[in-house]
Amino acid sequence: MNANTAVGFWRAAGAALWLVGTTAGAAAFDINDPEVELGLRRFEAIHIVQAGFPTGSTGNTRHLQTLSYYYGLTSIWQVKGTVFLEQADDERDYRATLGSLENTFELRNLTKHGFGLAWFTGFTGAIDAAETNSVTFGPILKVATGPLVWTFNPFLDQTFGRNHEHGIAFAYGWQVGKEIKDGVTLSLAGFGRIPDIGDPPPMAEQEHKI
């Protein structure tokens, strides 16, 4: 299917995570690609199930859902709007927590140059009173090495407004994938976040997952 005609295209991804007493936003488990295409329109849904909370605890976020829409404004500029939904173990319905607008500016094309490079800037606003606002920015790098394709998202994240955190956080993601047949790729990914890189907490309080 040609990308320009991918209207209503649905991509769903699920992950089972073993978390003890912590929660993480669905955006933290989404790898951004550097490719941009004029006129691209795509709908994406990501669903994450979290487990491993202490026995007897309540109010933990068990399910995270994002609904996103991409649009290629130009041959180098893509925008993406996302709504974040969560469901706690003591709730029946999902509730909207965040909304975001992301921009990807392609600087170097993977097919033409052997590696892809783009700049990412995203703005997230709180919908739920317990959330905060943030701006996230950094490069997106994609490298093809034989049958494997590596993607890296080394981003900085600054919260502001209600419930904001002190300092700038380092939020990263990486993914290595191999296409096993047309349209089907087997991937391994890792994600992490280090709050306040100027005065980081101990490793045990940081998030690092594969």
Side-chain angles (χ1 to χ4, degrees), residues 171-188:
Y172 70 86
W174 61 265
Q175 177 178 277
V176 56
K178 179 180 180 181
E179 188 173 47
I180 55 179
K181 67 178 184 178
D182 188 31
V184 179
T185 300
L186 182 64
S187 300
L188 177 69

Side-chain angles (χ1 to χ4, degrees), residues 10-13 25-30 43-48 63-70 80-86 94 97-98 100:
W10 179 280
R11 189 182 80 177
F29 304 103
D30 186 21
F43 178 77
E44 175 185 81
I46 296 178
H47 186 81
I48 294 173
H63 297 272
L64 298 148
Q65 179 82 47
T66 64
L67 303 174
S68 303
Y69 183 74
Y70 297 74
K80 172 185 174 184
T82 302
V83 175
F84 298 78
L85 306 171
E86 294 185 7
Y94 281 86
T97 57
L98 298 165
S100 73

Side-chain angles (χ1 to χ4, degrees), residues 26-135:
F29 304 103
D30 186 21
I31 298 294
N32 292 277
D33 287 314
E35 294 88 0
V36 172
E37 184 173 346
L38 173 64
L40 170 69
R41 290 176 287 173
R42 186 176 75 192
F43 178 77
E44 175 185 81
I46 296 178
H47 186 81
I48 294 173
V49 179
Q50 299 190 121
F53 297 102
T55 303
S57 65
T58 60
N60 302 304
T61 299
R62 297 289 183 178
H63 297 272
L64 298 148
Q65 179 82 47
T66 64
L67 303 174
S68 303
Y69 183 74
Y70 297 74
Y71 182 62
L73 288 173
T74 73
S75 60
I76 64 168
W77 180 17
Q78 174 183 274
V79 295
K80 172 185 174 184
T82 302
V83 175
F84 298 78
L85 306 171
E86 294 185 7
Q87 182 189 45
D89 53 13
D90 56 355
E91 297 176 337
R92 294 184 58 187
D93 300 320
Y94 281 86
R95 56 187 173 85
T97 57
L98 298 165
S100 73
L101 178 63
E102 301 175 357
N103 299 270
T104 299
F105 301 94
E106 186 178 28
L107 304 175
R108 195 173 182 90
N109 185 271
L110 175 68
T111 304
K112 293 180 181 179
H113 303 286
F115 73 92
L117 180 65
W119 183 261
F120 173 89
T121 302
F123 303 93
T124 301
I127 298 174
D128 190 274
E131 302 293 339
T132 189
N133 312 299
S134 66
V135 56

